[in-house]
Amino acid sequence: MSLLRAFRSKALSSPSGERPSEEALTVATRFGKVAITVRRSVQARRMTLRVRSAARDVTLTLPARTAQAAARDFVQRHVDWIEQRLARLPERIPFVAGEVIPLRGAAHRIEFREGMRGLVRVEPGVRGGDPVIAVYGLPAHGPRRVADFLKREARADLLAASARHAASLGVAIGRVTIKDTTSRWGSCSATGDLSFSWRLILAPPHVLDYLAAHEVAHRREMNHGARYWAHVERLTPDYGRAEAWLKAHGATLHRYG
């Protein structure tokens, strides 16, 4: 995540939990027109530009009473900065034939094949090569079928991991949903419903397992205090390794698809 501050700014989170209001601007760059989400916050003291690598978007945060003309001028003066940050974003890797993507942390090559319409399965690589995600049917439907396959695999792994950790803690969990989030890998509601990013299936298994434990532990403590982390450590004693992997590589999971 890249951040540019005009002078210094205070934290943007509101003690009341209210979300800042949002507007939009557009700026011309060498990459074409770029939409900029404008967020007004009573907590902000200076204008702040942010480029998020996961969402690949640009956000401008303003003090609540800042005139829109001043916001436009601020963005125009920092077009070069925006271009530099956008240029540094990792290249997208689409779900097309020939591309290599990670599945449970291991490289798999995508192949589109005729016949057996709608079937997607993992097959061994040829002569010791990378294993293959074989997608059968019309090539036009291939990218969607790869995405659907990965989401199904993610759901199966996360359901199993969540149930196992819930049994270990002696807690009940609710519905488990799979989404494509950019700001967090998982969440737990007050009623015990769990939500996870499907992209965790791209990470090594110990990372997915840790995120499942992280959210299930909230069924004991809806906070991140010492008792909460004691539950996490009980479920995944080496959770620090998973956190280190996410810090170093988590953003790259958003390159795919």
Side-chain angles (χ1 to χ4, degrees), residues 18 20 25 29 48 52 75 83 100-101 104 118 158 169 172 189 198 201 203 207 210 222 230 236 242 246 253:
E18 294 181 357
L25 290 174
T29 74
T48 303
R52 297 188 300 173
V75 169
E83 291 178 337
V100 175
I101 66 172
R104 299 182 178 91
L158 286 161
L169 282 186
S189 73
W198 68 262
I201 198 63
V207 175
Y210 159 66
M222 286 297 289
T236 54
L246 284 168
L253 301 184

Side-chain angles (χ1 to χ4, degrees), residues 26 31 84 86 94 98 105 123 140 160 176 179 181 183 191 198 203 225 253:
T26 301
F31 301 103
Q84 291 170 11
L86 292 175
E123 300 178 357
V176 177
K179 300 180 179 180
T181 54
S183 60
T191 59
W198 68 262
L253 301 184

